[in-house]
Amino acid sequence: MKIYIAYTGGTIGMTPSEHGLAPDAQFSDQLKQRLDAADDLNHDFVIKRYETLIDSSNATPQDWMIIAQDIEKQWQDFDGFIVLHGTDTMAYTAAALSHMLEASTKPIIVTGSQVPLYKVRSDAMNNVLGAITACEHQCPGVFLYFADRLIEGDRAHKAHTSDWRAFSSPNLADYGRLGIDWQWRDSSPAKSEYAMRIRIPHMEAGAVTILPVFPGVQAEHWQGLLNKNVKGAVLLSYGAGNAPDKDQALLAMLKEATDRGVAIVNVSQCGAGSVVAGAYAAGSALVQAGVISGQDLTYEAAFVKLHFLIGLGLSYDEIRNAFNINK
């Protein structure tokens, strides 16, 4: 089996410097040596270190595009793909790849680590080996693998800053869990019923913003966020999709934005659960303002999906329909 490993950056490949942890120029060689030394890994590994490594806290939509284009370029030559990435924005990148490489017929696994590879007590090799094992089972699709959990790419959420299990899938059972053997959510990995589509649109940083809801929120708080350059927004609402319905200036601002074509998607700021549009009066006011239900998507997935759909050039109505078909 030929497996392509793209080291895009992140903690996994860092080493101490006088300014704190910094990318290790020797990381790719060290990882290759460890993989080659494993007796039970009879695969052909190619490890590519990106010339400009991505600090995941600085990642942009352009970086998602670069990774997708890299995989597309290597597509015919490999049986599986592993993307090593920083954890801060790993869930965003996994979601982006799941849209750009939709219904992938090959495994594309995004992973990384909480502790660098050079440390004795590190989760790095466990995560890399787990991702390789998922490739061996030829799981078709884009996934995030971390701490024995294989999560669908557009369902992952970073849920902990320091636990080994840094990621969760709050609204969908893990695709697989790795113990001594794999335990699959379904009986076994199955190919998608849809044909694969590779679509890598141009996605602009700043095209999508996030609107936080909090006690006392006023229109002035969102004034700069809903500027004329913004084409989409994720509204982080209370509970099942609620926001203040007594502040007419706030609702008018949302309505004015949706009327000019800004797609505003409502997702809950709760850790799990779904937006139920119109279940409460406070949520109905958002519906009347043209706000789209994000159903049970994480805010990371909604943010990325908006970027992707806007990048495709879809209209407000087309974006609304795309969210109604919640993948």
Side-chain angles (χ1 to χ4, degrees), residues 35 38 40-41 124-134 136 145 178:
L35 294 176
D40 56 347
L41 290 180
M125 282 309 298
N126 278 344
N127 287 339
V128 171
L129 293 172
I132 291 170
T133 308
E136 290 173 342
Y145 179 85
L178 181 59

Side-chain angles (χ1 to χ4, degrees), residues 17-249:
S17 76
E18 60 183 28
H19 301 295
L21 289 175
D24 182 0
Q26 305 303 316
F27 168 75
S28 297
D29 293 336
Q30 293 168 3
L31 178 59
K32 186 71 161 59
Q33 289 170 7
R34 292 206 187 190
L35 294 176
D36 289 343
D39 295 333
D40 56 347
L41 290 180
N42 298 314
H43 305 308
D44 182 5
F45 296 104
V46 172
I47 302 174
K48 176 182 176 180
R49 179 188 187 274
Y50 278 23
E51 184 175 344
T52 302
L53 293 175
I54 305 165
D55 181 327
S56 78
S57 61
N58 289 321
T60 69
Q62 283 74 24
D63 293 311
W64 308 336
M65 294 162 55
I66 288 169
I67 297 170
Q69 288 164 350
D70 183 26
I71 293 174
E72 181 184 28
K73 182 179 178 181
Q74 307 294 340
W75 187 256
Q76 299 301 329
D77 297 327
F78 294 90
D79 305 302
F81 301 84
I82 296 172
V83 176
L84 302 181
H85 195 285
T87 60
D88 282 348
T89 57
M90 186 184 293
Y92 292 92
T93 297
L97 293 177
S98 73
H99 289 296
M100 291 185 286
L101 306 167
E102 185 180 3
S104 171
T105 54
K106 298 178 182 181
I108 302 169
I109 318 294
V110 185
T111 192
S113 69
Q114 292 282 64
V115 177
L117 177 70
Y118 83 89
K119 290 227 174 189
V120 173
R121 188 169 176 268
S122 169
D123 56 336
M125 282 309 298
N126 278 344
N127 287 339
V128 171
L129 293 172
I132 291 170
T133 308
C135 287
E136 290 173 342
H137 280 76
Q138 298 183 333
C139 303
V142 177
F143 302 93
L144 187 152
Y145 179 85
F146 218 88
D148 304 329
R149 306 178 72 177
L150 189 66
I151 299 170
E152 294 195 24
D154 60 348
R155 289 291 178 170
H157 168 66
K158 187 170 184 185
H160 206 290
T161 61
S162 57
D163 196 272
W164 294 125
R165 291 196 166 188
F167 292 88
S168 67
S169 179
N171 292 317
L172 184 67
D174 297 343
Y175 190 84
R177 291 206 178 192
L178 181 59
I180 295 176
D181 297 304
W182 277 102
Q183 292 183 330
W184 304 105
R185 183 184 66 207
D186 305 316
S187 57
S188 63
K191 291 192 179 298
S192 170
E193 60 189 76
Y194 304 103
M196 181 181 181
R197 286 198 296 179
I198 298 179
R199 295 180 296 173
I200 308 174
H202 179 71
M203 293 178 282
E204 297 179 2
V208 180
T209 190
I210 293 180
L211 304 175
V213 175
F214 51 88
V217 62
Q218 298 176 9
E220 288 79 6
H221 293 125
W222 292 350
Q223 191 81 46
L225 297 174
L226 285 173
N227 61 65
K228 62 181 181 179
N229 296 319
V230 166
K231 299 174 182 177
V234 176
L235 179 69
L236 291 179
S237 61
Y238 297 133
N242 302 319
D245 65 340
K246 304 300 183 185
D247 189 330
Q248 295 305 309

Side-chain angles (χ1 to χ4, degrees), residues 292-293 295 305 317 319-327:
I292 301 165
S293 172
Q295 302 185 56
K305 189 170 182 175
D317 287 336
I319 291 173
R320 175 190 288 276
N321 291 337
F323 274 92
N324 287 336
I325 307 170
N326 190 3
K327 172 178 171 289

